[in-house]
Amino acid sequence: MTDELLNDGFPFADGVLDGRTALVCGASKGIGRACALMLARAGARVVACARSADALDSLVAEMHGEGHEAVALDLEDVDAVREAVANLGTIHILLNNSGGPPGGPLLENTLEDFEGPFRRHLHAAHTITQALVPGMEAAGTGRIVNIISTSVREPIDNIGLSNTLRGAMASWAKSLSRELPPCVTINNIMPGFTDTDRLGSLAASISEHTGKPVEDVRDDWMSGVPIQRLIDPLETAAAVTWLCLPSSGAVRGISLAVDGGRMRSI
């Protein structure tokens, strides 16, 4: 599906995001990487942010178009985040995204376990958004999309810390949707079981805590997914890109699931 969605199966008009600059956090792999590729294919100039400089350089070389930029940055370092964002100029599209915390029973987490994940998700997202919104308003357009999780609707067993964090992000975004300038939207994407390294590490973590083989963990997941397969990260990226289109300005404050129909809630 990767080749299809970025080539002959590209789902949007060519150049639909021409003239826009997108800051994509967590762009070195997984959903973040797919979003960087898709937004670039749509015409945006992409500033790709993550900790791994080598992975970012490889991504920039692969992206459609020219003028893309790599920024090696640890999102847990809020001061460094603030400094980096101040030097980026006008950003029209912001994707808030970062790796999730390890799995395991919530009661086994200490208070210290919450600090890093909250810094690289909620604190970083808030810091970046505060810095970029004035420029978005001046430009007359802004799109903010947060990658969170279906767990904000239906908590997932054995990832209590992640459930807590994603719920905080969803509430933060919904609150902001009532405060941002009219030309700036904020929305969430809730991925389901997606074919990423993160999902593999999560399955291993759950296996370690429950004693259940990794294959059984994955089988349990797929038994509840009507499409009976993992989601391609580019399918998620297509939903992100749709929320970033000029024509999506009336879509605001929603949490959109890309989960293959897994959730039972309405």
Side-chain angles (χ1 to χ4, degrees):
M1 186 172 295
T2 296
D3 290 342
E4 177 186 349
L5 286 177
L6 288 178
N7 294 290
D8 292 343
F10 182 64
F12 306 104
D14 285 337
V16 69
L17 293 179
D18 281 356
R20 264 69 168 185
T21 297
L23 173 60
V24 178
C25 298
S28 62
K29 57 186 177 180
I31 291 172
R33 188 177 193 279
C35 288
L37 290 168
M38 184 70 74
L39 290 167
R41 178 67 178 80
R45 184 181 80 87
V46 174
V47 179
C49 165
R51 289 177 294 181
S52 172
D54 289 344
L56 291 176
D57 289 340
S58 175
L59 170 63
V60 168
E62 187 178 338
M63 283 192 285
H64 179 86
E66 300 178 347
H68 308 301
E69 182 180 351
V71 177
L73 185 64
D74 183 353
L75 291 176
E76 289 188 27
D77 187 341
V78 176
D79 290 336
V81 169
R82 188 176 291 112
E83 180 179 354
V85 173
N87 296 320
L88 292 180
T90 299
I91 299 292
H92 308 92
I93 295 167
L94 167 62
L95 180 70
N96 287 312
N97 171 57
S98 184
L106 187 57
L107 281 178
E108 291 184 6
N109 292 122
T110 66
L111 291 180
E112 288 73 21
D113 291 333
F114 285 79
E115 293 177 0
F118 268 81
R119 279 198 303 272
R120 66 177 178 265
H121 284 273
L122 184 58
H123 299 179
H126 189 71
T127 299
I128 296 169
T129 299
Q130 277 187 320
L132 296 185
V133 164
M136 291 178 174
E137 184 174 21
T141 182
R143 300 286 184 267
I144 302 168
V145 182
N146 310 300
I147 303 297
I148 52 172
S149 170
T150 56
S151 66
V152 304
R153 297 260 179 86
E154 298 178 7
I156 300 171
D157 291 344
N158 290 300
I159 57 168
L161 178 51
S162 180
N163 294 343
T164 304
L165 172 62
R166 307 304 189 181
M169 284 289 297
S171 183
W172 170 80
K174 188 64 175 179
S175 298
L176 275 183
S177 73
R178 304 288 300 176
E179 299 179 6
L180 291 170
C183 64
V184 180
T185 67
I186 187 167
N187 294 288
N188 305 311
I189 290 289
M190 302 187 297
F193 296 126
T194 309
D195 191 9
T196 63
D197 291 344
R198 161 68 176 168
L199 191 70
S201 63
L202 187 58
S205 176
I206 292 174
S207 174
E208 180 181 348
H209 282 87
T210 63
K212 182 179 293 187
V214 170
E215 294 77 11
D216 290 352
V217 173
R218 289 181 173 273
D219 288 345
D220 286 348
W221 286 343
M222 289 302 97
S223 69
V225 179
I227 63 172
Q228 289 293 290
R229 63 171 175 83
L230 295 178
I231 296 154
D232 190 302
L234 278 170
E235 293 179 288
T236 308
V240 169
T241 301
W242 174 71
L243 289 173
C244 295
L245 298 180
S247 58
S248 296
V251 184
R252 186 183 181 103
I254 70 162
S255 291
L256 175 64
V258 185
D259 70 341
R262 184 191 69 82
M263 286 196 302
R264 295 178 180 272
S265 56
I266 296 174

